């Protein structure tokens, strides 16, 4: 996993709907919330703070790019007799593919 740079985070944040952008400012991500009304009040504060202007990306708001080294697809079949395909990153831009026993 790799954190994206500020330019990419800014571009992604700018592409989000305005209410999602305001929600990023209003939310105290994953902390305990006393009530829905408390969050609604913080949303109203964010709406007032950015009324009539673009919503900037909040400090600390960013993103991560998942960079897999391998992944697997399972195609379901009865009695756990599924078909499994395993992909593994070999060299830049190239992946190997092989079938695995169920």
């Amino acid at each position: 996993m790799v954190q994206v740079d500020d330019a990419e985070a800014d571009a992604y944040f700018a592409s989000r709907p305005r209410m999602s952008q305001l929600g990023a400012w209003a939310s105290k991500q994953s902390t305990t919330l006393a009530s829905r009304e408390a969050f609604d009040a913080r949303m109203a504060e964010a709406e007032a703070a950015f009324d009539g202007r673009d919503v900037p990306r909040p400090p600390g708001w960013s993103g991560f790019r998942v960079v897999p080294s391998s992944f697997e697809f399972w195609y379901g079949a009865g009695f756990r007799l599924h078909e499994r395909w395993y992909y593994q990153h070999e060299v830049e831009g190239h992946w190997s593919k092989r079938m695995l026993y169920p």
Side-chain angles (χ1 to χ4, degrees):
M1 192 163 38
V2 179
Q3 187 168 3
V4 300
D5 62 29
D6 286 342
E8 187 172 351
D10 286 341
Y12 177 71
F13 188 81
S15 76
R16 300 180 77 207
R18 183 174 180 83
M19 290 301 287
S20 294
Q21 294 172 341
L22 293 169
W25 280 91
S27 178
K28 295 181 180 181
Q29 189 81 37
S30 299
T31 62
T32 301
L33 176 61
S35 66
R36 179 63 195 207
E37 291 76 20
F39 180 65
D40 291 343
R42 288 183 60 86
M43 279 296 292
E45 291 169 8
E47 287 179 275
F50 299 109
D51 186 39
R53 62 188 182 105
D54 289 340
V55 181
R57 180 171 59 96
W61 193 101
S62 190
F64 291 88
R65 180 176 296 108
V66 176
V67 183
S69 59
S70 65
F71 57 93
E72 188 174 325
F73 290 109
W74 289 34
Y75 299 96
F79 310 104
R80 295 184 46 87
L81 302 176
H82 27 261
E83 186 174 312
R84 294 173 58 192
W85 285 97
Y86 181 77
Y87 295 77
Q88 185 170 17
H89 188 253
E90 300 293 338
V91 294
E92 195 59 41
H94 293 87
W95 292 80
S96 65
K97 172 185 171 184
R98 65 182 188 259
M99 186 182 278
L100 301 177
Y101 277 98

